[in-house]
Amino acid sequence: MAHFDLPENRKFRICQFTDIHLEADERFALADKTYALIRQTIRDTKPDLITISGDLAWGGADRESIDTLVEELGAFDIPWAPVLGNHDGERLGDKEEGGRKIFAEFLLNRRNCLFEMGPESVDGWGNYVITVGGTVHHLMAGYGGGRKSILPGVCSRATIRRNHSMALDPIEPHSSELVGSGKLTRNPINEDMDDAAALVAPVFGVSIVVNAHGEHAGLFCGDFRAAWLKSCAFCQQYYGKEIAQEADVVIASCGGYPKDLNLYQGV
């Protein structure tokens, strides 16, 4: 598998293609126009990374047509990363899943290709997990975003319920002192979320912090966990405030709509 380092001190550019829909029969005559357009787009945009988000092929594609596309993309000496769509591999096996597995194996170790077989715990073949989320202070998990794309993001109700129950002290009838806004160390909710995310092992993370007007204030990309932790530090720097002493009564606002829809979000 190819590897690459994120460029420093300049913008990182991604060129995305989707639904190329290669065909092996009479439509394959159109492939030359498709390849010409791909070549021209790559030359014009000069990307750092090329992605293909599904359906490289149509139902009639065969190994020859797919191999031609793979060689075309590899020739640019630019890392490229495909994921498979519902049509990929339909002609390569007796069943869709079998064909997609053959397709996925066909992409392994190709020139400049970042493709890897996804973990068996994730449904499908050749999965990449890339998280995109917003980082804010969170009442229980310390901070939102990052690993919350996995838990609670794509988890079952039972898993979410179990995770949230960790907000309670295991002995006394009150909230745990380990959970709270800005708390990550020894926070059982945060640690459980971290463990869940590690099972999926996202390959890339995008963490966004916005200002009071909903505009982007900070953008942190790269290693899934490292980028998120930097966004947490940024969030604390600009939204956190040290309090000199505790007060008997605190009057606070959640900032209005939409967080004033109910008491839970308001807190």
Side-chain angles (χ1 to χ4, degrees):
M1 184 184 77
H3 294 269
F4 71 101
D5 296 320
L6 291 175
E8 296 183 1
N9 302 320
R10 69 174 178 83
K11 293 182 178 180
F12 182 78
R13 182 170 293 179
I14 300 174
C15 180
Q16 178 189 7
F17 298 99
T18 188
D19 296 276
I20 296 174
H21 285 176
L22 289 176
E23 187 91 24
D25 56 19
E26 65 276 1
R27 286 188 61 199
F28 190 54
L30 300 175
D32 288 342
K33 293 184 178 180
T34 300
Y35 294 140
L37 181 59
I38 291 174
R39 292 188 207 106
Q40 190 60 49
T41 302
I42 294 174
R43 293 192 187 102
D44 290 345
T45 59
K46 298 178 176 60
D48 299 291
L49 174 68
I50 301 168
T51 63
I52 303 179
S53 53
D55 286 352
L56 288 77
W58 190 247
D62 58 9
R63 292 176 182 271
E64 181 181 357
S65 57
I66 298 168
D67 190 59
T68 301
L69 175 64
V70 169
E71 291 300 320
E72 284 278 344
L73 292 171
F76 281 94
D77 288 328
I78 299 172
W80 63 284
V83 294
L84 302 186
N86 61 304
H87 289 299
D88 290 322
E90 286 180 337
R91 189 172 175 175
L92 301 180
D94 295 332
K95 296 181 180 179
E96 180 183 352
E97 289 299 326
R100 284 164 65 190
K101 182 176 182 179
I102 295 173
F103 200 132
E105 294 172 341
F106 187 76
L107 294 170
L108 293 174
N109 301 316
R110 302 303 294 260
R111 185 180 179 187
N112 295 314
C113 185
L114 301 175
F115 185 86
E116 284 185 322
M117 297 288 280
E120 294 183 0
S121 58
V122 179
D123 185 28
W125 295 99
N127 290 281
Y128 289 102
V129 178
I130 298 176
T131 63
V132 180
T135 303
V136 295
H137 284 94
H138 191 279
L139 179 64
M140 298 186 298
Y143 294 92
R147 71 281 188 252
K148 285 184 92 260
S149 295
I150 309 302
L151 173 60
V154 295
C155 290
S156 68
R157 284 182 178 270
T159 300
I160 297 170
R161 191 177 297 114
R162 172 60 179 165
N163 174 265
H164 284 26
S165 70
M166 296 179 184
L168 301 176
D169 188 281
I171 300 176
E172 300 294 332
H174 56 69
S175 297
S176 171
E177 294 182 357
L178 297 175
V179 307
S181 183
K183 293 183 178 181
L184 294 179
T185 303
R186 297 178 60 216
N187 182 334
I189 291 180
N190 172 59
E191 291 179 350
D192 189 45
M193 291 176 174
D194 278 341
D195 290 343
L199 293 175
V200 179
V203 298
F204 194 82
V206 179
S207 293
I208 303 166
V209 181
V210 299
N211 61 22
H213 303 289
E215 302 166 335
H216 290 176
L219 179 64
F220 304 85
C221 308
D223 177 82
F224 159 71
R225 179 166 172 76
W228 174 70
L229 287 174
K230 287 184 177 180
S231 74
C232 292
F234 182 88
C235 186
Q236 176 63 26
Q237 179 182 355
Y238 287 96
Y239 286 106
K241 182 175 178 60
E242 293 290 336
I243 298 176
Q245 61 185 22
E246 294 184 354
D248 296 319
V249 178
V250 176
I251 300 175
S253 167
C254 62
Y257 181 86
K259 290 190 174 182
D260 58 359
L261 289 175
N262 54 55
L263 180 60
Y264 174 79
Q265 292 294 338
V267 173

